[in-house]
Amino acid sequence: FNGAIPLKHAHLAAISASVAMKCVVLHSGNAAFTRAAGATEEEIKTAVVIAADVALNSAVRYDSQFDMDTFMTMLSDLSE
């Protein structure tokens, strides 16, 4: 990474993105690069938790947009 934020922070962001995308291969590779850039295991774990928290809140908020009838209609449409 070559940008405006420190290398370690860029790699931590990449870990969060790979977790959010559920890409185990990228996560493993990014973790190694992040350690090499000076990140601690606690910082890496925090990046993972941030991604999980964003995913959870996104799912909860998306789910709350629909009532049960709308959800069931969408589910029925998928099975056709």
Side-chain angles (χ1 to χ4, degrees):
F1 300 104
N2 189 12
I5 63 174
L7 183 62
K8 180 176 83 172
H9 297 162
H11 282 296
L12 288 166
I15 283 180
S16 286
S18 65
V19 169
M21 296 180 69
K22 299 178 181 156
C23 184
V24 176
V25 174
L26 282 178
H27 174 66
S28 298
N30 285 330
F33 287 126
T34 305
R35 284 185 198 94
T40 65
E41 291 301 312
E42 193 64 28
E43 289 172 320
I44 292 171
K45 289 176 186 175
T46 300
V48 170
V49 169
I50 289 168
D53 187 56
V54 169
L56 172 66
N57 285 311
S58 176
V60 168
R61 288 192 176 109
Y62 180 79
D63 179 55
S64 67
Q65 294 179 28
F66 303 104
D67 62 18
M68 188 54 114
D69 292 333
T70 303
F71 174 74
M72 294 306 290
T73 300
M74 289 174 62
L75 192 60
S76 176
D77 290 346
L78 289 174
S79 66
E80 293 177 358

